[in-house]
């Protein structure tokens, strides 16, 4: 099997911790110029593309600007920075739990996306940490939902990222989450929930369907008071929204969840009230680079348990 040739390194530096966009021109030779292809391929429109070309903001592998007349060359790479819109600052810090030459363990707050996506680009955990730590090569080995707080593993060296990602893929990371949800005295716990979960593109909420289970979660009751309970959640698999779906299916949806049991209207930008009461509490694994056994614990507390009135009132 022929090994795929890796793309050349980017000639552009990161912008506010965000990588430039890389575009590879397809092998088909259906365009006279690079400009023609970009106008057809990108949603920005001809006027925006022409403005970027005229300003020298689109470059080739040597860092030289691509012009409106640059001939199309199949397999050619070009780079540019997307326009970074003003984003609402998430007013909570990221705590660095551990840092060494191989990895960074960050304790992410609620409302902060792990990586750039959609309208969250520079105001993400990845971009913030790259800027704050001065490590432009930092990359995530896994992700947490934007609304979920807790521990995320980032790798320092690109050549080692695959080894850390394989820990999660092969289920060699022990993960525990904590959640606050209603207390149901009739719910028999602990129990292991197994179901098949599907998440369709463009649909906000995942759903359970009939079929072979692809999602397994261990649910345990830690303590309860005043109609609320604190739960320990141990996912054995990693489906999108898995813990949120399983808690909802048990009749105890996690407090602050805007999707389960019903999808609620989006909150306005800057509204950081009543965060989802789900926390990635621990990560435990054997480091593939050093052989050292790690166990990391988040220092965050779920506000609805420690101070429900403050959480509920926002």
């Amino acid at each position: 099997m022929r090994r795929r040739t890796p793309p050349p390194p980017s000639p552009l530096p990161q912008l506010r911790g965000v990588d430039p966009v890389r575009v590879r021109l397809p092998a088909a030779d259906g365009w006279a110029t690079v400009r023609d292809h970009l106008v057809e391929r990108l949603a920005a429109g001809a006027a925006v593309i022409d403005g970027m070309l005229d300003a020298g903001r689109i470059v080739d592998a040597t860092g030289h600007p691509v012009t409106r007349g640059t001939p199309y060359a199949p397999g050619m790479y070009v780079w540019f920075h997307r326009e970074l819109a003003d984003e609402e600052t998430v007013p909570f810090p990221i705590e660095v739990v551990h840092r060494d030459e191989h990895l960074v363990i960050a304790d992410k707050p609620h409302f902060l996306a792990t990586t750039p996506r959609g309208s969250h680009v520079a105001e993400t955990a990845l971009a913030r940490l790259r800027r704050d730590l001065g490590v432009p090569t930092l990359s995530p080995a896994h992700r947490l939902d934007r609304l979920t707080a807790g521990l995320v593993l980032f790798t320092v060296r690109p050549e080692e990222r695959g080894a850390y990602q394989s820990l999660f893929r092969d289920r060699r990371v022990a993960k525990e989450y904590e959640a606050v949800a209603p207390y149901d005295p009739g719910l028999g716990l602990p129990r292991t929930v197994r179901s098949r979960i599907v998440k369709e593109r463009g649909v906000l909420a995942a759903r359970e369907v009939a079929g072979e289970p692809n999602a397994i979660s261990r649910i345990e009751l830690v303590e309860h008071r005043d109609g609320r309970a604190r739960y320990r959640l141990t996912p054995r698999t990693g489906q999108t929204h898995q813990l949120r779906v399983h808690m909802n299916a048990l009749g105890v949806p996690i407090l602050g969840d805007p999707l389960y049991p019903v999808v609620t209207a989006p909150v306005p930008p800057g509204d950081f009230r009543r965060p989802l009461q789900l926390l990635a509490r621990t990560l435990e694994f054997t480091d593939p680079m050093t052989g050292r056994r790690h166990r990391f614990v988040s220092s965050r507390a779920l506000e609805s348990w420690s101070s429900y009135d403050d959480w509920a009132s926002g």
Side-chain angles (χ1 to χ4, degrees):
M1 180 184 297
R2 292 183 60 186
R3 181 173 290 182
R4 185 177 178 181
T5 303
S10 171
L12 294 177
Q14 291 172 354
L15 178 63
R16 294 170 55 191
V18 179
D19 291 323
V21 176
R22 183 185 70 224
V23 175
R24 184 177 188 271
L25 308 189
D29 193 4
W31 302 270
T33 64
V34 175
R35 181 258 183 204
D36 292 343
H37 174 70
L38 295 179
V39 168
E40 182 176 320
R41 178 170 178 175
L42 303 180
V48 172
I49 299 299
D50 286 341
M52 294 173 67
L53 290 168
D54 293 345
R57 291 173 51 199
I58 302 176
V59 303
D60 62 18
T62 66
H64 288 94
V66 174
T67 69
R68 296 196 193 198
T70 299
Y72 185 90
M76 176 183 178
Y77 288 94
V78 298
W79 286 261
F80 59 89
H81 280 292
R82 71 188 87 181
E83 192 72 38
L84 295 182
D86 290 334
E87 299 177 48
E88 194 73 38
T89 299
V90 178
F92 312 113
I94 306 176
E95 305 294 338
V96 174
V97 175
H98 173 85
R99 179 183 181 184
D100 62 29
E101 60 186 311
H102 304 287
L103 56 87
V104 169
I105 305 294
D107 200 348
K108 184 184 81 67
H110 297 286
F111 299 109
L112 188 68
T114 302
T115 57
R117 185 177 181 181
S119 60
H120 306 282
V121 181
E123 190 61 13
T124 58
L126 176 61
R128 267 203 204 176
L129 288 168
R130 282 174 170 175
R131 297 193 301 264
D132 294 348
L133 302 180
V135 183
T137 57
L138 208 65
S139 295
H142 68 122
R143 290 172 175 80
L144 286 183
D145 290 343
R146 184 178 67 89
L147 299 182
T148 302
L151 301 180
V152 186
L153 189 158
F154 295 87
T155 62
V156 174
R157 298 171 174 171
E159 66 272 19
E160 296 176 354
R161 186 186 184 199
Y164 287 99
Q165 286 180 312
S166 70
L167 294 177
F168 293 89
R169 183 194 64 216
D170 300 337
R171 304 179 189 176
R172 289 183 284 137
V173 178
K175 297 183 286 184
E176 284 187 4
Y177 288 69
E178 182 180 312
V180 178
Y183 172 61
D184 180 358
L187 182 61
L189 296 177
R191 70 168 67 184
T192 299
V193 181
R194 295 177 173 85
S195 71
R196 185 166 192 82
I197 294 176
V198 297
K199 175 67 168 65
E200 299 169 358
R201 181 181 292 274
V203 178
L204 293 176
R207 59 191 176 92
E208 292 182 304
V209 298
E212 183 72 20
N214 63 357
I216 304 172
S217 307
R218 177 75 169 173
I219 314 293
E220 301 172 75
L221 176 66
V222 178
E223 56 183 326
H224 67 89
R225 66 170 183 249
D226 303 325
R228 302 183 310 282
R230 195 159 64 91
Y231 297 89
R232 180 183 300 111
L233 314 178
T234 308
R236 307 283 171 79
T237 53
Q239 296 299 318
T240 299
H241 296 179
Q242 175 178 316
L243 296 175
R244 298 163 66 180
V245 170
H246 281 168
M247 289 292 284
N248 182 59
L250 292 177
V252 286
I254 298 171
L255 295 186
D257 198 325
L259 299 181
Y260 308 96
V262 295
V263 177
T264 59
V267 300
D271 187 345
F272 300 112
R273 297 173 298 169
R274 292 184 291 281
L276 175 70
Q277 296 298 278
L278 181 61
L279 172 67
R281 174 66 75 188
T282 68
L283 285 178
E284 188 171 358
F285 58 93
T286 298
D287 194 309
M289 296 297 114
T290 65
R292 184 185 312 158
R293 188 68 183 174
H294 291 300
R295 186 176 190 272
F296 302 110
V297 181
S298 170
S299 62
R300 297 184 184 275
L302 292 173
E303 189 181 20
S304 70
W305 187 255
S306 59
S307 181
Y308 178 78
D309 289 342
D310 290 342
W311 175 83
S313 64

